[in-house]
Amino acid sequence: MSFIARILACAALALGTVVFWSSVYAQTGPTIVPPSPRAGSPAPSVRRSTPVRPGLPTVAEIVVEGTQRIEPETVRSYMLIKEGDPIDPDRVNESLKGLFSTGLFSDVTFRLERDVLFVRVVENPIINRIAFEGDKELEEDTLRNEVQLRPRIVYTRTRVQNDVKRILDLYRRTGRFAASVEPKVVQLPQNRVDLIFEIEEGPLTGIRRISFIGNREFSDRSLREAIQTAETRWYRFLSSDDTYDPDRLTFDRELLRRHYLRNGYADFRVVSAVAELTPDRKDFFITFTIEEGKRYKFNALTIQSKIKDVKPEAIQPVIEIEAEDWYDSEAVDNTVLKLSNAVGDLGFAFVSVLPNVKRNRTKRTIDIKFVVQEGPRVFIERIDIGGNIRTLDKVIRREFQVVEGDAFSSTKLRRSRTRIQNLGYFSRVDVNNVPGSEADKTVIKVDVAEQSTGELSVGAGFSSQSGPLVDLRVRERNLLGKGQDLRASITIAAERQNFDLGFTEPYFLDKELSFGLDGFHTASSNVSEFEAISTGAGIRLGYRLTDNWSHRVRYTLRRDEITNVESDASKFIRAEEGTDFVSVVGHDLSYDRRNSRIEPTDGYFVKLSNDVAGLGGDISYLKSVLSGKYFYSIAQSWVVSTRAEIGHIEGFNDDGVRISDRFFLGGDKLRGFDNGGVGPRDTSTDDALGGKVVYSGTVELVFPLGLPKQFGVSGAIFTDAGSLTDLDFDDPVIVDTASLRWSAGFGVAWRSPFGPVRLDFAVPLIKEDFDETENIRFNFGTRF
């Protein structure tokens, strides 16, 4: 009950008591002194036995006045004093309190005339309608779910004030601390009211300044980068990190702790985190008071095994930390995980690795002994999944490598989390285990946060040969929450048009077997003086061999046509004009050790593809491509990636390999060169002829540009190299040097609110005089 409501209740109670005892005094004399009433006491549920003072008059009748909806007998039931009872002051006071505490009455007075006790009540009104005015940022349904009052409920000031507080708390959770709520009451006939909450939402309460006290080794700017809360700036209009959130502030304390422990400050602690509201209630000043402590280095790193068949020297190489390295708590956690996995791979399902830390404050060193021992035998009782609104439970559950009843394995649990993360459906995946119903059982809790899985990408580019290019792609990677993939793409350019449609069911027949259908139509003339039209369809079937190995087989039937050959085109192209049907059986064998398929920062990926044409159709060939990528993080947000690819095709027809089946090199795989800008060429017409052997590679470094992380802008420097060579025929007008081409350049990537944007600028460093170049490539897209 609010302070004002308590004052009003006490005043009414006191007034009723005074009026009543004045009437008693007029009849019996001043022999009774009533005690001071106290509002808010609960109504009596049973009649209490109160000692009766001798010589008091009795109540012959109780008359209830002023009731409208409530029956008089209901009023009498809330009273402790009954007909025939002596007029005892304690019972009268308790009866008065009981009537007020019901919340049904705004006023109650007692009046005694002779031996008749008159009880006059004023009923609280009934709420007819609840309305909200001024709510623009929050949906009305959200507000209705927050308040406790409802239509046809008794109106009381206390309940209204409580709902006002709830609405204000709701706005504060959304960052609007300047919000105000004024309840208005509209009187209606039959003791009914309309309750209107007039809301002044006010602006978002921002963060005017974030300060740090006690930091000597790190500047305020670097610490602001380490936390999630950010100072209010105009460019953060699509982010909520610059609005005050007490829960986020608590998380910032943890982020600061992680930052210092990652950099060797093992004694670090946050003394306080204070948020002060400015006098105009528009912004907050946030101040973190910290104690950095001393910086420590690793010293001795040893392993003690309490498992008989696990020798410390066998798993010692797992420890990648070296003595004299600065202490890093994340490195310790990663080592514990790697040791657990290494012992688990030896066949021990129940393993516990405990790091015993010994700190030498004088030398500022830390010794760590990793104790490997058998953990308690624990089995999985059940797997609980939460946070998935659109995605079906079975889509997540089928990625687990354990089921209910299996022995608990941290290794399998980690792999399961990676598999769920690699789906690309969730921005956050938390997999934890909590105690089960018994000591030897555990419950796995999965909490996910869904992200956009629909993609709408628009690409634009400029080529010195092809001119402007527009590419539209639509894809839904989690169709109807079932994990199915549906995609469609259209490319329109001056010299290229493409349409592609594909569908993939990742768990065909509820087995770990992916099934896909594809259809396509391509018309291209951007590599030489002819138009290549290809129309066809395909079917795919893929499966996992192990956690890292996967295999896919596919069949494609297509109709290829070489047409619209220019009169001045190369004679080798004119000779291939016509239509062929191609039947291709192929497979892809992949080995994937990346830490993430979405945004890898560590690990590698290798893929071997073979296509055989000739099982039906007009064309026969064997085409093989071996490719790989490697990622390595040299520092936080600094990632080096390398790519290599080599391909070869050999034809079994008398005419060799057609131009539409040969490799072409340039564009994305060899920036600085046009599509088809490298390789064998007819010098008499300057037409690219493609080649049977191709290789290319890339080394790229992605790094932050020093801008606030909220910008999402990163830079890249890269170098590409490669070559294309070999034809089935030779002629004096054909140049085929097989020489290495090399380019270098830089790029800028921006994770914009509308999707990823990438701009690359490349310059050829080694090229041939007949090569075609391209310097600028631009792409952007969005997701839905």
Side-chain angles (χ1 to χ4, degrees):
M1 183 179 292
S2 67
F3 178 75
I4 296 177
R6 287 180 179 273
I7 293 297
L8 293 175
C10 290
L13 188 61
L15 179 61
T17 305
V18 169
V19 171
F20 172 75
W21 285 111
S22 297
S23 63
V24 173
Y25 176 81
Q27 300 180 51
T28 63
T31 59
I32 303 175
V33 179
S36 301
R38 193 173 46 179
S41 302
S45 57
V46 296
R47 183 172 179 175
R48 293 180 295 177
S49 177
T50 304
V52 179
R53 302 182 185 180
L56 295 176
T58 59
V59 178
E61 183 182 3
I62 299 177
V63 179
V64 178
E65 300 175 334
T67 56
Q68 298 180 23
R69 302 181 313 275
I70 304 172
E71 294 294 330
E73 190 58 37
T74 303
V75 177
R76 296 188 187 98
S77 68
Y78 286 113
M79 298 173 58
L80 183 60
I81 191 168
K82 306 296 181 181
E83 293 178 353
D85 288 351
I87 307 177
D88 184 83
D90 292 333
R91 295 193 178 197
V92 172
N93 288 334
E94 291 296 331
S95 298
L96 198 60
K97 292 178 183 178
L99 290 174
F100 272 111
S101 65
T102 63
L104 299 174
F105 312 106
S106 61
D107 189 23
V108 180
T109 58
F110 286 179
R111 186 179 79 256
L112 184 65
E113 294 183 3
R114 297 182 182 277
D115 56 356
V116 178
L117 178 61
F118 290 88
V119 180
R120 183 167 186 82
V121 297
V122 178
E123 295 182 3
N124 276 321
I126 293 293
I127 298 175
N128 177 65
R129 181 176 64 95
I130 298 177
F132 302 90
E133 294 181 356
D135 52 313
K136 299 177 182 178
E137 299 299 329
L138 293 180
E139 296 290 339
E140 186 167 312
D141 289 343
T142 303
L143 296 172
R144 289 190 183 278
N145 293 333
E146 188 70 18
V147 300
Q148 298 294 315
L149 287 172
R150 296 288 185 272
R152 295 184 296 278
I153 288 181
V154 175
Y155 168 90
T156 66
R157 292 187 181 92
T158 301
R159 291 176 177 177
V160 172
Q161 293 303 321
N162 288 339
D163 278 349
V164 168
K165 184 178 182 300
R166 290 187 180 94
I167 295 173
L168 289 175
D169 289 342
L170 184 63
Y171 273 98
R172 286 170 182 170
R173 289 199 298 270
T174 62
R176 298 181 182 273
F177 282 77
S180 62
V181 179
E182 183 69 25
K184 300 290 185 181
V185 176
V186 179
Q187 299 290 339
L188 300 175
Q190 300 178 351
N191 199 25
R192 295 175 301 125
V193 295
D194 284 346
L195 178 59
I196 302 173
F197 291 99
E198 294 184 353
I199 302 172
E200 181 66 37
E201 294 180 322
L204 285 171
T205 309
I207 308 298
R208 187 171 299 180
R209 187 174 67 246
I210 300 176
S211 303
F212 298 88
I213 299 176
N215 55 312
R216 298 184 303 275
E217 300 299 329
F218 293 95
S219 65
D220 283 13
R221 178 178 178 179
S222 61
L223 294 182
R224 291 189 194 103
E225 290 290 327
I227 63 177
Q228 185 174 354
T229 302
E231 294 178 347
T232 302
R233 295 292 185 270
W234 66 267
Y235 50 79
R236 296 192 176 105
F237 61 94
L238 292 174
S239 171
S240 61
D241 290 343
D242 59 347
T243 58
Y244 176 70
D245 184 345
D247 294 333
R248 190 189 299 126
L249 193 64
T250 302
F251 182 56
D252 287 336
R253 296 170 65 110
E254 174 62 19
L255 291 177
L256 283 173
R257 190 186 71 86
R258 295 179 189 176
H259 174 75
Y260 272 92
L261 292 181
R262 190 168 54 244
N263 288 278
Y265 295 88
D267 296 331
F268 172 82
R269 73 186 187 98
V270 179
V271 178
S272 65
V274 179
E276 298 176 282
L277 191 61
T278 57
D280 57 7
R281 303 180 65 85
K282 293 182 179 180
D283 297 295
F284 273 93
F285 293 107
I286 296 179
T287 304
F288 292 93
T289 302
I290 62 177
E291 290 182 1
E292 292 181 326
K294 304 298 182 181
R295 196 178 188 189
Y296 290 79
K297 288 186 176 182
F298 286 113
N299 188 32
L301 299 163
T302 59
I303 298 176
Q304 178 185 354
S305 175
K306 295 185 178 181
I307 302 177
K308 180 180 179 181
D309 296 327
V310 177
K311 303 300 182 183
E313 55 271 16
I315 57 177
Q316 183 73 35
V318 173
I319 301 179
E320 298 179 355
I321 305 172
E322 297 182 0
E324 298 300 317
D325 286 348
W326 291 111
Y327 173 75
D328 184 349
S329 61
E330 287 188 1
V332 175
D333 294 338
N334 291 335
T335 301
V336 169
L337 179 61
K338 290 178 180 179
L339 287 172
S340 300
N341 295 336
V343 178
D345 292 340
L346 296 176
F348 297 89
F350 304 97
V351 179
S352 173
V353 178
L354 301 176
N356 290 339
V357 179
K358 184 178 180 181
R359 190 175 311 178
N360 189 324
R361 301 183 185 276
T362 303
K363 297 181 179 180
R364 300 180 187 175
T365 59
I366 291 180
D367 297 335
I368 299 181
K369 179 189 292 184
F370 296 95
V371 181
V372 181
Q373 58 189 10
E374 288 195 69
R377 306 184 71 83
V378 179
F379 297 87
I380 298 173
E381 182 176 4
R382 67 178 187 273
I383 300 175
D384 294 338
I385 299 173
N388 53 317
I389 300 173
R390 187 166 62 101
T391 306
L392 300 180
D393 274 8
K394 73 173 186 178
V395 173
I396 302 174
R397 194 175 295 274
R398 67 194 184 191
E399 297 299 328
F400 270 90
Q401 295 190 318
V402 292
V403 297
E404 285 88 346
D406 284 356
F408 176 79
S409 170
S410 59
T411 301
K412 291 183 178 181
L413 200 63
R414 176 184 59 84
R415 292 174 182 170
S416 300
R417 181 192 178 280
T418 301
R419 285 165 62 104
I420 297 172
Q421 188 73 61
N422 286 338
L423 291 174
Y425 307 157
F426 311 107
S427 60
R428 175 179 52 81
V429 177
D430 294 327
V431 180
N432 301 297
N433 59 292
V434 298
S437 59
E438 299 179 12
D440 63 342
K441 294 182 178 179
T442 185
V443 176
I444 296 177
K445 295 281 189 180
V446 183
D447 185 35
V448 299
E450 292 185 325
Q451 65 180 4
S452 299
T453 55
E455 299 176 8
L456 172 64
S457 64
V458 180
F462 179 81
S463 167
S464 58
Q465 295 295 312
S466 301
L469 168 71
V470 177
D471 182 72
L472 175 64
R473 299 175 185 269
V474 180
R475 183 182 182 188
E476 174 53 64
R477 295 178 290 109
N478 188 15
L479 186 66
L480 302 176
K482 297 180 180 180
Q484 298 168 337
D485 191 328
L486 180 65
R487 72 180 191 279
S489 65
I490 299 175
T491 301
I492 301 174
E495 298 178 350
R496 179 159 58 98
Q497 294 81 43
N498 177 76
F499 173 76
D500 180 71
L501 180 66
F503 173 79
T504 302
E505 168 56 65
Y507 273 75
F508 184 57
L509 301 177
D510 288 330
K511 299 183 182 297
E512 199 167 354
L513 187 69
S514 66
F515 172 78
L517 296 172
D518 301 290
F520 57 88
H521 174 78
T522 303
S524 175
S525 59
N526 64 331
V527 295
S528 231
E529 299 300 320
F530 69 94
E531 183 177 9
I533 300 176
S534 180
T535 305
I539 185 172
R540 296 172 278 111
L541 200 65
Y543 54 92
R544 286 181 178 272
L545 298 173
T546 66
D547 289 335
N548 305 117
W549 285 98
S550 62
H551 188 234
R552 183 177 69 171
V553 294
R554 45 193 161 74
Y555 174 75
T556 304
L557 179 64
R558 69 177 191 261
R559 176 182 180 273
D560 292 347
E561 181 181 4
I562 304 297
T563 185
N564 295 331
V565 180
E566 298 288 343
S567 59
D568 58 348
S570 169
K571 62 182 179 180
F572 307 104
I573 298 176
R574 294 198 304 271
E576 296 191 18
E577 188 171 11
T579 301
D580 295 298
F581 286 91
V582 185
S583 175
V584 182
V585 176
H587 83 107
D588 302 312
L589 181 63
S590 305
Y591 185 69
D592 193 347
R593 293 301 299 266
R594 293 173 296 180
N595 61 346
S596 171
R597 295 180 185 176
I598 310 301
E599 294 182 354
T601 59
D602 186 67
Y604 57 91
F605 171 81
V606 180
K607 179 180 178 181
L608 172 64
S609 299
N610 299 107
D611 290 328
V612 177
L615 303 177
D618 305 318
I619 303 300
S620 299
Y621 62 77
L622 172 62
K623 185 177 185 179
S624 301
V625 177
L626 177 63
S627 60
K629 293 182 179 180
Y630 177 76
F631 301 87
Y632 179 72
S633 178
I634 59 177
Q636 188 173 8
S637 301
W638 291 66
V639 179
V640 175
S641 64
T642 61
R643 179 195 63 84
E645 179 177 302
I646 183 172
H648 176 263
I649 183 170
E650 190 64 47
F652 303 132
N653 296 90
D654 294 337
D655 297 332
V657 180
R658 301 175 309 157
I659 188 172
S660 57
D661 295 322
R662 296 176 201 145
F663 295 103
F664 287 87
L665 183 60
D668 291 333
K669 292 185 178 180
L670 190 59
R671 286 164 287 191
F673 294 87
D674 189 17
N675 291 322
V678 171
R681 188 173 298 273
D682 186 337
T683 56
S684 65
T685 60
D686 201 30
D687 290 333
L689 302 177
K692 299 198 303 178
V693 178
V694 66
Y695 65 90
S696 64
T698 297
V699 178
E700 182 172 279
L701 171 64
V702 177
F703 54 90
L705 291 177
L707 297 173
K709 61 182 179 181
Q710 290 80 9
F711 276 18
V713 178
S714 60
I717 54 175
F718 58 84
T719 180
D720 296 340
S723 185
L724 176 68
T725 186
D726 198 11
L727 289 172
D728 290 310
F729 48 84
D730 194 12
D731 193 277
V733 298
I734 296 177
V735 288
D736 181 11
T737 63
S739 61
L740 177 71
R741 273 71 160 187
W742 180 29
S743 67
F746 62 89
V748 177
W750 176 35
R751 291 184 180 180
S752 75
F754 313 103
V757 178
R758 176 75 183 243
L759 176 66
D760 288 326
F761 179 81
V763 176
L765 301 178
I766 298 179
K767 71 181 187 71
E768 297 294 338
D769 294 337
F770 52 84
D771 291 339
E772 302 292 345
T773 63
E774 172 190 77
N775 299 118
I776 299 175
R777 182 161 289 265
F778 173 73
N779 287 279
F780 74 91
T782 188
R783 288 187 171 188
F784 61 90

